[in-house]
């Protein structure tokens, strides 16, 4: 095994462990809050998240990604980005703090004022740690980031659970977020021992800006369109409906933070380091495409089949209206997961301009789809959203196939994956309609296991070579885990 592959797989393991611990604690807290609070409370939390996320794009301007991608980085690059982050952190905190009453008036919910004011501290906290995280990502030191995340998650999660049980409601989640950020940034600073001279160079900023500006513009588009749905639903429908929608999206996000997205997090530094070795690069991309496709389609199928049981068992029956929303979202969730690989391929090749063009096309589709919220209903909007995701995935597939000269190879792999996915779903959902026992835990085990068996059987029959390759890759990953234990 090459040293790069070993380093990448080691990074994958630690990144997975970190995400599992951090999000596991957060997910546990959300389960407690979902059983205590009403859907409307989560709708209000979604509104807060929208405005925090929109302002957060301006904190970094894409410089962290540029630090990871750039071949040669000096102390001046790190220091200059650090100064810009801290200045923007204080500026954004003040801006959001002052805007809080206006947001509360817009939604006619006075409680939003205090919640948004407190959450504005997040900008200052994170501004001090972005550069160190970029340095660790560049070095693929996911072990340290995972350890600090786990420690932060444990402590902040304990406090959040204590607050939830003592009647603090939504404030327990807000507190958990802020304490986690404070601990994580502090621990990363001291444990990484990464230091640089406090100098500012406009030349260094300009050298990074050519790449980061496109990432920044892409980030603005992504953030606006990812959060615009919550903004509109909260206003034209109601916070209760937004709460159901927020629960569905949150469950999807939690699910895929441990799967294909974890793989994607280590791809940029890995692919960037081999971009000048065309044969090795092409082979690596093909293996990653097969592995991420397999994980994404399998995960989507399992979650869709068990959606009702998962939501009711975790969050109680009052969240049942979220089931159909979650099923629609998860049906096409494979598309953005695989597109994450395309995204990293383009960035590793320095083609941030092309990625920006794809994103503009992407956002035009999503913007047009918002018409369903005004003239139809939420379900119609979500179906349109899934169709748009799949169309963007196909566009990325065509571009990557041409850029790396895959010819029709990626097309055939995708068609086979989609066929196996749809046929497996059709078989299992038909069986579920006839043999549903109405015993939640038993039904969940039976039908998710059935889907797993059907999916793997079809994969072995029709994609045997890919199936063996994937099994071997997973075995290598587990062997590295044993060696690092």
């Amino acid at each position: 095994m090459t040293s790069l592959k070993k380093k990448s797989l080691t990074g994958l393991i630690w990144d997975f462990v970190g995400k599992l611990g951090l999000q596991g604690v957060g997910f546990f807290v959300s389960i407690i809050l979902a059983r205590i609070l009403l859907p409307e409370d989560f709708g209000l939390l979604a509104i807060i998240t929208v405005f925090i996320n929109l302002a957060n794009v301006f904190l970094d301007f894409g410089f962290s990604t540029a630090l990871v991608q750039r071949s040669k980085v000096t102390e001046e690059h790190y220091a200059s980005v650090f100064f810009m982050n801290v200045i923007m952190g204080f500026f954004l905190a003040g801006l959001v703090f002052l805007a809080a009453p206006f947001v509360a008036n817009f939604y006619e919910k006075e409680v939003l004022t205090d919640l948004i004011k407190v959450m504005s501290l997040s900008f200052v906290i994170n501004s001090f740690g972005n550069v160190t995280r970029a340095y660790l990502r560049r070095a693929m030191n996911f072990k340290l980031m995972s350890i600090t995340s786990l420690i932060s998650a444990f402590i902040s999660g304990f406090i959040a659970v204590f607050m939830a049980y003592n009647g603090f409601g939504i404030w327990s989640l807000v507190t958990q977020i802020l304490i986690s950020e404070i601990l994580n940034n502090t621990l990363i600073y001291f444990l990484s021992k990464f230091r640089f001279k406090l100098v500012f160079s406009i030349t260094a900023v300009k050298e990074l800006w050519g790449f980061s500006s496109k990432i920044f513009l892409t980030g603005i588009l992504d953030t606006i369109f990812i959060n615009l749905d919550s903004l509109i639903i909260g206003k034209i429908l109601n916070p209760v409906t937004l709460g159901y929608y927020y629960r569905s999206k949150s469950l999807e996000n939690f699910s895929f933070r441990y799967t294909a997205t974890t793989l994607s997090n280590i791809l940029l530094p890995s692919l960037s380091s081999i971009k000048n070795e065309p044969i090795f690069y092409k082979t690596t991309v093909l293996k990653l495409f097969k592995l991420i496709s397999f994980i994404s389609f399998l995960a989507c199928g399992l979650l869709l089949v068990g959606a009702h049981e998962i939501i009711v068992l975790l969050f109680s029956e009052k969240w049942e209206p979220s089931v159909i929303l979650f099923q629609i979202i998860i049906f096409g969730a494979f598309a953005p997961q695989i597109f994450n690989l395309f995204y990293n391929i383009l960035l590793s090749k320095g083609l941030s301009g092309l990625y920006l063009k794809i994103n503009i096309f992407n956002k035009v589709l999503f913007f047009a789809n918002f018409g369903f919220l005004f003239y139809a209903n939420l379900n119609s909007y979500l179906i349109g959203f899934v169709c748009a995701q799949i169309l963007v995935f196909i566009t990325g597939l065509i571009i990557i196939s041409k850029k790396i000269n895959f010819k029709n190879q990626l097309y055939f792999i995708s068609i086979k994956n989609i066929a196996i996915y749809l046929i497996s779903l059709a078989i299992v959902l038909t069986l579920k309609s006839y043999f549903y026992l109405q015993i939640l835990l038993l039904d969940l085990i039976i039908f998710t296991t059935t889907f797993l068996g059907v999916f793997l059987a079809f994969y072995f029959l029709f994609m045997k070579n890919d199936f063996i390759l994937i099994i071997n890759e997973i075995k290598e990953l587990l062997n590295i885990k044993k060696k690092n234990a």
Side-chain angles (χ1 to χ4, degrees):
M1 185 190 299
T2 65
S3 59
L4 173 65
K5 188 173 184 179
K6 183 176 181 179
K7 192 174 183 180
S8 297
L9 288 174
T10 302
L12 167 64
I13 294 167
W14 279 107
D15 190 48
F16 180 86
V17 170
K19 277 188 168 55
L20 188 63
L22 179 63
Q23 301 303 325
V25 172
F27 193 48
F28 176 69
V29 171
S30 73
I31 291 173
I32 295 174
L33 291 175
R35 290 179 171 275
I36 297 172
L37 305 176
L38 299 173
E40 181 179 7
D41 296 308
F42 283 87
L44 294 174
L45 182 63
I47 293 171
I48 298 167
T49 304
V50 167
F51 288 96
I52 296 298
N53 287 344
L54 287 174
N56 206 41
V57 180
F58 295 88
L59 180 62
D60 182 65
F61 286 103
F63 284 119
S64 291
T65 304
L67 288 172
V68 176
Q69 190 274 343
R70 187 175 172 82
S71 299
K72 184 179 180 181
V73 180
T74 66
E75 260 192 352
E76 288 185 342
H77 290 112
Y78 286 117
S80 300
V81 173
F82 174 79
F83 274 116
M84 293 190 66
N85 281 348
V86 172
I87 291 170
M88 286 305 300
F90 279 96
F91 174 76
L92 290 171
L95 186 64
V96 171
F97 186 91
L98 294 175
F102 299 99
V103 175
N105 289 335
F106 179 74
Y107 285 99
E108 299 178 352
K109 295 289 180 180
E110 189 59 35
V111 67
L112 285 173
T113 301
D114 292 336
L115 289 169
I116 293 175
K117 284 181 176 180
V118 172
M119 280 298 296
S120 68
L121 294 171
S122 154
F123 300 112
V124 176
I125 297 167
N126 288 322
S127 68
F128 286 94
N130 282 342
V131 168
T132 304
R133 276 188 289 273
Y135 168 79
L136 294 173
R137 278 185 64 205
R138 182 180 175 85
M140 287 191 276
N141 189 352
F142 293 95
K143 179 178 180 179
L144 178 56
M145 288 193 290
S146 297
I147 291 173
T148 57
S149 294
L150 285 171
I151 294 172
S152 304
F154 178 79
I155 296 174
S156 61
F158 177 82
I159 294 171
V161 170
F162 176 81
M163 291 179 66
Y165 273 119
N166 284 276
F168 285 89
I170 195 172
W171 283 102
S172 60
L173 186 56
V174 171
T175 303
Q176 190 265 346
I177 293 171
L178 292 176
I179 291 178
S180 178
E181 289 174 346
I182 292 170
L183 289 173
N184 198 20
N185 283 286
T186 303
L187 288 171
I188 280 180
Y189 175 78
F190 285 107
L191 295 179
S192 69
K193 298 180 181 178
F194 173 60
R195 304 292 183 268
F196 46 82
K197 295 178 182 178
L198 296 179
V199 295
F200 181 81
S201 169
I202 192 65
T203 302
V205 172
K206 288 179 179 179
E207 289 173 350
L208 295 171
W209 179 245
F211 184 87
S212 70
S213 60
K214 299 180 181 67
I215 303 302
F216 169 60
L217 292 173
T218 298
I220 292 176
L221 291 174
D222 282 342
T223 305
I224 289 174
F225 282 88
I226 287 172
N227 293 280
L228 193 57
D229 49 2
S230 295
L231 192 71
I232 296 173
I233 293 169
K235 183 62 179 177
I236 68 171
L237 296 179
N238 54 69
V240 175
T241 302
L242 178 57
Y244 292 131
Y245 176 67
Y246 176 77
R247 174 55 50 212
S248 304
K249 282 190 68 176
S250 297
L251 187 55
E252 185 221 0
N253 289 335
F254 277 122
S255 303
F256 284 104
R257 281 176 182 174
Y258 317 139
T259 53
T261 303
T262 299
L263 288 170
S264 294
N265 280 343
I266 66 167
L267 294 183
L268 179 56
S270 299
L271 293 175
S272 294
S273 65
I274 60 171
K275 61 186 176 183
N276 296 321
E277 303 174 48
I279 297 176
F280 184 40
Y281 187 93
K282 184 177 180 179
T283 303
T284 301
V285 167
L286 184 60
K287 286 183 178 180
L288 287 169
F289 180 77
K290 290 178 179 180
L291 182 59
I292 292 175
S293 296
F294 174 81
I295 293 172
S296 298
F297 282 106
L298 178 59
C300 285
L302 290 171
L303 290 167
L304 195 151
V305 167
H308 177 264
E309 293 77 19
I310 291 170
I311 288 176
V312 175
L313 283 170
L314 289 178
F315 307 114
S316 78
E317 292 182 353
K318 68 182 176 184
W319 290 97
E320 270 193 291
S322 298
V323 173
I324 184 62
L325 305 180
F326 178 67
Q327 287 179 319
I328 296 172
I329 293 171
I330 211 68
F331 176 79
F334 65 87
Q337 305 308 315
I338 302 172
F339 189 79
N340 276 336
L341 172 62
F342 301 157
Y343 161 78
N344 282 280
I345 292 171
L346 293 174
L347 291 187
S348 70
K349 289 284 190 179
L351 299 173
S352 56
L354 181 56
Y355 178 69
L356 177 60
K357 291 177 182 177
I358 295 174
N359 258 275
I360 291 173
F361 169 67
N362 183 7
K363 300 317 180 264
V364 169
L365 288 178
F366 290 153
F367 183 78
N369 187 54
F370 281 119
F372 285 113
L373 283 177
F374 292 96
Y375 301 108
N377 54 45
L378 183 55
N379 287 4
S380 299
Y381 163 75
L382 289 176
I383 292 171
F385 177 78
V386 168
C387 291
Q389 283 185 317
I390 294 173
L391 185 56
V392 172
F393 160 72
I394 294 171
T395 303
L397 189 67
I398 293 171
I399 291 172
I400 295 300
S401 295
K402 290 181 178 179
K403 287 292 179 183
I404 312 183
N405 194 29
F406 275 117
K407 297 182 179 179
N408 297 321
Q409 197 170 6
L410 298 187
Y411 303 149
F412 289 137
I413 294 171
S414 298
I415 290 170
K416 287 180 181 179
N417 271 295
I418 292 171
I420 291 172
Y421 173 61
L422 293 178
I423 294 170
S424 300
L425 278 177
I427 291 172
V428 177
L429 291 178
T430 300
L431 290 173
K432 190 173 183 179
S433 67
Y434 284 102
F435 301 104
Y436 192 59
L437 302 176
Q438 297 185 339
I439 303 173
L440 292 176
L441 184 58
L442 187 58
D443 283 326
L444 177 63
I445 295 171
I446 289 173
F447 292 108
T448 53
T449 304
T450 302
F451 178 85
L452 178 64
V454 172
F455 184 88
L456 293 179
F458 278 127
Y459 226 90
F460 183 78
L461 287 174
F462 298 106
M463 300 181 71
K464 186 175 181 179
N465 291 335
D466 291 346
F467 184 77
I468 293 172
L469 181 146
I470 290 165
I471 295 300
N472 288 335
E473 290 294 318
I474 293 173
K475 284 181 179 178
E476 282 193 21
L477 189 151
L478 293 175
N479 286 335
I480 288 178
K481 184 177 180 180
K482 288 179 182 178
K483 289 178 182 179
N484 289 333

